Amino acid sequence: MSKTLDTPLTSAEFAADVDCGAPSLREVFARHLGTVWRIARAFGVPADEADDVAQEVFLVVHRKLHTFQPSRSLPAWLFGITRNVVLMRRRAHTRRERRLSAVEPPPAPREPEASFELRQAAAFMQEFLDGLDEDKRLVFLLADVEGMTASEIAEALEIPLGTVFSRLRAARLKLEQFSQRLRARPVRRPHDR
């Protein structure tokens, strides 16, 4: 099977690139940018700031590429860097908010044009994700959106494997319950106002 730029590198492939001295940062960036962006969103980073977080993550990856251990999972390594960048940004944001508390925040950017169904589906998932606690949300997104294995998630989150399975099972059950509640609601179209 041939690899394309949107196919994530395995740890072994990444290590081979590093050992060969090949400029693998570009390939890692191309293959994992979406993953890093979605992990940032899972930590609650607004969509309009997720690109900035991803850029900061890959600046760190560039500086620390030589420290990557091939025995580690590449997705887990990127997860750890993303988590640290998000936490640093949160601390900086809190400090900035304290200094600027008297200034009124700017209005939220306008949402781009999208079909009603797409907006409705996105709102459905966001409502579901917002209802999960952060622990379950992270495990759910890493497993069901990013496709990370339970072992990779356990390594990235530094939790026991059984805890990963427990949180994932609980999140999936909540998704099913949430979906059933939504199916019971009447569908509102824009013209129903």
Side-chain angles (χ1 to χ4, degrees), residues 132-140 157 159 167-168 171:
L132 287 177
D133 61 68
E134 188 173 276
D135 293 338
K136 289 180 186 75
R137 183 174 59 237
L138 286 172
V139 170
F140 177 80
L157 296 177
I159 59 176
R167 289 178 184 174
L168 185 56

Side-chain angles (χ1 to χ4, degrees), residues 14 33 38 68 103 135 140 151 161 177 186:
F14 179 78
L33 174 61
R38 289 184 296 272
F68 175 73
V103 177
D135 293 338
F140 177 80
S151 298
L161 188 59
Q177 292 167 345

Side-chain angles (χ1 to χ4, degrees), residues 3-173:
K3 291 277 188 180
T4 63
L5 282 183
D6 58 352
T7 306
L9 283 173
T10 65
S11 295
E13 292 168 330
F14 179 78
D17 279 354
V18 170
D19 290 342
C20 295
S24 58
L25 176 64
R26 178 176 291 167
E27 191 169 25
V28 171
F29 175 81
R31 290 186 178 176
H32 293 280
L33 174 61
T35 299
V36 167
W37 191 89
R38 289 184 296 272
I39 291 169
R41 292 285 290 137
F43 274 111
V45 173
D48 59 333
E49 294 178 23
D51 289 337
D52 295 336
V53 169
Q55 180 179 4
E56 288 179 45
V57 166
F58 284 102
L59 287 172
V60 173
V61 168
H62 175 67
R63 285 193 312 267
K64 301 212 179 243
L65 196 57
H66 68 282
T67 67
F68 175 73
Q69 299 170 358
S71 62
R72 255 194 106 185
S73 160
L74 178 60
W77 187 64
L78 291 171
F79 174 87
I81 292 171
T82 305
R83 177 185 54 210
N84 291 340
V85 167
V86 169
L87 292 176
M88 285 188 310
R89 286 177 64 92
R90 281 182 186 168
R91 286 190 293 270
H93 177 73
T94 301
R95 287 190 302 270
R96 188 172 46 252
E97 286 300 309
R98 273 188 249 139
R99 288 191 301 260
L100 300 175
S101 61
V103 177
E104 190 159 327
R110 292 185 187 166
E111 189 174 298
E113 290 299 318
S115 71
F116 174 74
E117 291 81 16
L118 184 58
R119 286 192 316 266
Q120 191 176 31
F124 164 81
M125 276 313 288
Q126 194 59 55
E127 185 179 344
F128 165 70
L129 293 171
D130 289 344
L132 287 177
D133 61 68
E134 188 173 276
D135 293 338
K136 289 180 186 75
R137 183 174 59 237
L138 286 172
V139 170
F140 177 80
L141 286 169
L142 291 174
D144 288 354
V145 176
E146 297 305 326
M148 288 174 68
T149 66
S151 298
E152 290 174 326
I153 295 168
E155 181 181 339
L157 296 177
E158 299 174 347
I159 59 176
L161 188 59
T163 303
V164 171
F165 287 119
S166 173
R167 289 178 184 174
L168 185 56
R169 186 173 33 258
R172 287 175 176 165
L173 178 62

